[in-house]
Amino acid sequence: MRGAGPADPARGALCTCGVTARGLRHRTSVSPVRGGPQWPAARPSVPKPGPPPARERWFQPRRSGHAWEREGLDHVRQRRPKAEPYRAWATLQFTGASGRVSVCDLLIAVPGGVYLLEL
């Protein structure tokens, strides 16, 4: 079929390389309907992932009612590492199995373990 001459709609369109385009998915094939090149359908653009959102590493739902606790918490907060995987929870409350509500001044999670700090 090479060099068979102009495109014959009954036989299929000729590709620019001279091979018939009937049934072929060829990038450079000539469309018998439009007469132009047939290109594969473009894929929709997929957004690229960006950097992860900045995560808070210090959680403090409420301020302490005692001045010495506020000073101690501020001291620890200023000196803690500002990188992963360090986390701290200040002035948190939890309920024990007996139903008693307890208050914790500072719970710190670091690569070396989890620490409870009572000020």
Side-chain angles (χ1 to χ4, degrees):
M1 295 242 157
R2 265 192 183 283
D8 179 10
R11 290 187 329 167
L14 286 180
C15 170
T16 55
C17 66
V19 179
T20 61
R22 181 183 292 174
L24 295 178
R25 300 294 254 172
H26 198 257
R27 284 184 59 193
T28 58
S29 63
V30 177
S31 170
V33 177
R34 296 178 130 176
Q38 292 178 345
W39 298 98
R43 290 184 182 178
S45 162
V46 177
K48 294 182 181 177
R55 297 185 66 182
E56 185 64 35
R57 288 182 281 281
W58 181 275
F59 306 94
Q60 187 171 1
R62 65 190 162 284
R63 289 187 50 134
S64 173
H66 305 287
W68 68 87
E69 286 181 359
R70 286 192 301 271
E71 290 174 17
L73 292 173
D74 289 341
H75 178 81
V76 172
R77 186 174 189 170
Q78 292 170 1
R79 285 161 180 77
R80 70 183 170 86
K82 306 285 192 279
E84 293 291 340
Y86 299 90
R87 299 278 189 273
W89 291 265
T91 62
L92 61 105
Q93 289 183 338
F94 58 94
T95 306
S98 65
R100 182 177 177 203
V101 176
S102 299
V103 179
C104 171
D105 291 331
L106 187 60
L107 180 71
I108 304 171
V110 298
V114 178
Y115 299 92
L116 177 67
L117 182 66
E118 186 63 36
L119 300 173

